[in-house]
Amino acid sequence: MQLPKPLSSMFKNTLNKSIQYGAEILHNRIPYAHDNPYLDGIFAPQRQEHFSTQLKVEGQIPKELDGALMRIGPNPITVKNPKIYHWFTGDGMIHALRLKEGEAHWYKSQYVGADSVQKKLHRSVIPGKSRGVADPVNTNIINFAGKIWALVEAGAYPIEVNSELESKRHHLFENDDLDLPFTAHPHIDPDTGDIHAVCYDGLTHNKVFYLHIDVQGKLKNHVEIPVKHGPMVHDCAITESQVLILDLNVNFSVQSALKGSLLPYQWNPKHQARIGLLSFGGSAQDIRWYNIDPCFIFHTMNAYDLDTGNVVMDAVVHSKAMVHSIQGPIEDQDLRLERFVFEKGTGKVKRTILSDVKQEFPRINEAYTGRPYRYAYSISFGEFDDPYHVSSNSLLGHDLETTTIESYSFGENWVTGEAIFVEKEGAQAENEGWLMSYVHALDCGPSKVVILDAQHIKDGPIATIYLPVRVPVGFHCNWIDYRELKVI
Ligand SMILES: [Fe+2]
């Protein structure tokens, strides 16, 4: 049968859509995920939680490792409107690989029990009250005060999870009745074990909050810092004596909210970008602000005090961020690793480029947080402008003293997530330890976890653990040492 041309193409379109929809149902994919790259391909959510003890291992897992590599990220259960779904807002899922005595014991994935998630999954809500404008907790997972905490920015309380990934309670660590927001990027002082964090609240646009929480999880001090335009403050940095506050050019946007954005924050070149130095124990009036050119920083690498009174901060700097897309952060922008030196006497900032390779997820040996350091790690991006065409990347090891980079590529078909450093017991050198990451197949096959010797990055993995399923590309990763947990 020969249909008239317009009808023929309408018929073909309908048929194609039906076939596509059928294929999406068959593959347990969210229908019409092609409306949003963060619901498709390597980002696509898993449709269920997994548990497996059958894990193929190549190489030798270091026997000293006794814990789990935990990675958290968005894994939306349902999406009302894929066109306006924002990657940062998806329901949180934790992936964990349990290692002990040189063996891979299990891999597990489980949702973080925000109230909205528990309701969608027909599970009982967990104790405690959530807080803030939205409740998914999906951005970072840390071991603090002997417990595991899933974290998110913009207002919701952390959620405590146990070593089997079951959510236990909403709580701002060990503090009752504190109506304060938290962040996904606290920094732990390696000497005191205390947390320092700069936090913002999605509903409060004229101030951000510095929180100092002691090693027992109790709030020691908090400072309310006046700001303009509701800046998104994703991270901060600390030295031995002070915290650095990033007041930059991604701000709350009424326009974006009116467009229906689920995350109404957008590039605002008119905002005066500035970085503030606040001594521990100081007040908002004591902050020394340094104005800088418009930019955005998702992640700092480290910071430290110099004897001169100057302060050094290294960070991945985005030339701009969240300009157009209301779905996610991957769009046209420059990224580079920069060093800022804040001069005490002159009030000037000196900026130098440490590496112009496009990269993100900077990490260090955290025993050196806030202290002079030599080694750092990050992951490169071939391009960082199109979430539909993510290409393979490499793990980078920076030697900041020799200004050299040692890298390892996992091959054309693979993309690594954040690589974290785990120090060897009794390490004599800063870089004596392992790098570990989740590595994702670009063809959407099952993922793997790799372990590299941080002193021999270019030799590649000393161990590879093959997972039974695909882990969607997500956010932050940490090694949770089970020997440090008070509650198992
Ligand atoms: Fe982050």
Side-chain angles (χ1 to χ4, degrees):
M1 181 179 64
Q2 186 72 37
L3 291 166
K5 219 172 175 190
L7 271 180
S8 161
S9 79
M10 204 191 302
F11 177 73
K12 271 188 198 158
N13 276 345
T14 309
L15 184 66
N16 283 342
K17 279 203 165 173
S18 305
I19 291 169
Q20 192 170 359
Y21 186 78
E24 283 162 347
I25 295 290
L26 273 177
H27 291 95
N28 277 326
R29 299 264 296 279
I30 287 182
Y32 304 119
H34 54 272
D35 282 336
N36 190 319
Y38 300 96
L39 293 169
D40 204 7
I42 56 172
F43 299 97
Q46 278 290 355
R47 305 312 299 152
Q48 58 192 25
E49 296 165 333
H50 284 87
F51 178 74
S52 177
T53 55
Q54 303 299 311
L55 303 168
K56 186 183 148 204
V57 178
E58 265 176 20
Q60 182 58 58
I61 298 168
K63 288 195 166 57
E64 302 94 316
L65 293 172
D66 180 2
L69 184 68
M70 295 199 184
R71 213 295 325 267
I72 193 169
N75 198 90
I77 301 162
T78 52
V79 174
K80 275 189 193 151
N81 182 353
K83 284 185 180 162
I84 60 164
Y85 166 73
H86 194 289
W87 192 33
F88 290 177
T89 65
D91 301 316
M93 180 177 263
I94 304 166
H95 303 265
L97 175 66
R98 173 80 167 107
L99 304 178
K100 192 178 180 182
E101 293 166 345
E103 290 181 7
H105 282 233
W106 46 259
Y107 158 78
K108 186 175 186 183
S109 60
Q110 187 152 334
Y111 278 103
V112 185
D115 291 355
S116 58
V117 169
Q118 298 298 90
K119 281 174 195 159
K120 284 185 214 169
L121 296 174
H122 307 291
R123 294 175 180 168
S124 308
V125 295
I126 60 172
K129 254 176 68 179
S130 186
R131 184 189 176 283
V133 68
D135 77 341
V137 175
N138 64 15
T139 312
N140 204 353
I141 182 152
I142 63 165
N143 169 12
F144 175 61
K147 293 172 183 169
I148 305 168
W149 301 91
L151 307 175
V152 72
E153 68 192 42
Y157 285 140
I159 289 182
E160 184 190 339
V161 300
N162 68 13
S163 59
E164 294 185 342
L165 312 189
E166 288 153 349
S167 293
K168 306 309 283 181
R169 58 175 179 154
H170 305 272
H171 223 244
L172 187 55
F173 306 108
E174 305 306 340
N175 302 282
D176 296 321
D177 305 322
L178 272 182
D179 186 20
L180 288 170
F182 201 62
T183 172
H185 285 290
H187 290 264
I188 298 178
D189 184 304
D191 286 347
T192 62
D194 290 2
I195 266 184
H196 300 272
V198 178
C199 317
Y200 71 103
D201 189 324
L203 294 171
T204 306
H205 305 137
N206 61 358
K207 57 186 170 185
V208 299
F209 304 80
Y210 159 65
L211 272 62
H212 179 178
I213 294 171
D214 73 15
V215 67
Q216 309 299 333
K218 296 278 188 195
L219 184 75
K220 207 167 169 181
N221 179 27
H222 96 272
V223 178
E224 300 193 359
I225 302 161
V227 292
K228 289 179 182 167
H229 307 137
M232 172 184 270
V233 184
H234 185 70
D235 198 358
C236 67
I238 60 168
T239 71
E240 238 175 308
S241 67
Q242 52 201 321
V243 60
L244 285 83
I245 303 142
L246 309 177
D247 179 5
L248 306 174
N249 298 82
V250 173
N251 298 165
F252 179 76
S253 161
V254 176
Q255 256 185 336
S256 180
L258 291 173
K259 272 195 239 169
S261 171
L262 299 180
L263 189 91
Y265 283 82
Q266 211 167 12
W267 178 248
N268 176 11
K270 290 181 182 160
H271 181 72
Q272 174 60 61
R274 57 181 190 159
I275 295 176
L277 271 58
L278 169 62
S279 295
F280 297 157
S283 69
Q285 292 75 33
D286 301 329
I287 299 172
R288 288 180 287 136
W289 289 105
Y290 293 79
N291 288 352
I292 58 171
D293 291 337
C295 68
F296 192 67
I297 294 170
F298 279 105
H299 302 116
T300 60
M301 191 169 249
N302 202 7
Y304 53 92
D305 298 320
L306 296 174
D307 293 339
T308 55
N310 294 350
V311 172
V312 174
M313 181 188 82
D314 299 336
V316 173
V317 180
H318 294 235
S319 59
K320 53 192 174 179
M322 300 174 70
V323 182
H324 301 294
S325 175
I326 60 165
Q327 299 178 329
I330 303 176
E331 56 184 3
D332 179 36
Q333 61 199 283
D334 282 328
L335 315 178
R336 57 198 196 186
L337 182 60
E338 277 197 44
R339 171 157 293 176
F340 295 72
V341 179
F342 302 94
E343 295 184 357
K344 190 177 183 185
T346 65
K348 288 183 181 161
V349 192
K350 206 187 276 173
R351 291 172 67 168
T352 48
I353 299 170
L354 298 177
S355 164
D356 59 7
V357 174
K358 284 188 175 182
Q359 58 195 287
E360 252 296 355
F361 294 110
R363 296 298 294 254
I364 58 166
N365 176 347
E366 286 172 359
Y368 290 76
T369 297
R371 277 61 181 170
Y373 71 119
R374 176 172 174 180
Y375 298 102
Y377 312 93
S378 62
I379 60 174
S380 71
F381 293 99
E383 291 300 324
F384 195 74
D385 55 6
D386 182 2
Y388 279 109
H389 298 105
V390 173
S391 55
S392 66
N393 62 359
S394 296
L395 196 165
L396 306 178
H398 302 264
D399 181 334
L400 301 172
E401 196 172 298
T402 60
T403 64
T404 54
I405 297 176
E406 189 177 339
S407 70
Y408 182 77
S409 163
F410 296 95
E412 275 182 15
N413 190 36
W414 297 92
V415 56
T416 178
E418 180 173 50
I420 54 104
F421 178 91
V422 184
E423 190 179 63
K424 271 184 197 169
E425 268 180 33
Q428 298 297 308
E430 180 187 335
N431 64 344
E432 205 176 332
W434 302 284
L435 294 166
M436 302 172 71
S437 71
Y438 282 79
V439 179
H440 313 270
L442 285 167
D443 67 4
C444 297
S447 304
K448 55 191 182 183
V449 165
V450 293
I451 305 174
L452 289 85
D453 182 331
Q455 292 179 320
H456 300 283
I457 293 172
K458 63 177 184 307
D459 294 348
I462 56 167
T464 302
I465 301 96
Y466 293 88
L467 305 180
V469 291
R470 179 179 61 81
V471 173
V473 166
F475 301 143
H476 293 287
C477 190
N478 276 301
W479 174 249
I480 308 291
D481 190 325
Y482 278 24
R483 292 164 299 191
E484 294 174 1
L485 298 178
K486 287 183 194 153
V487 182
I488 298 287

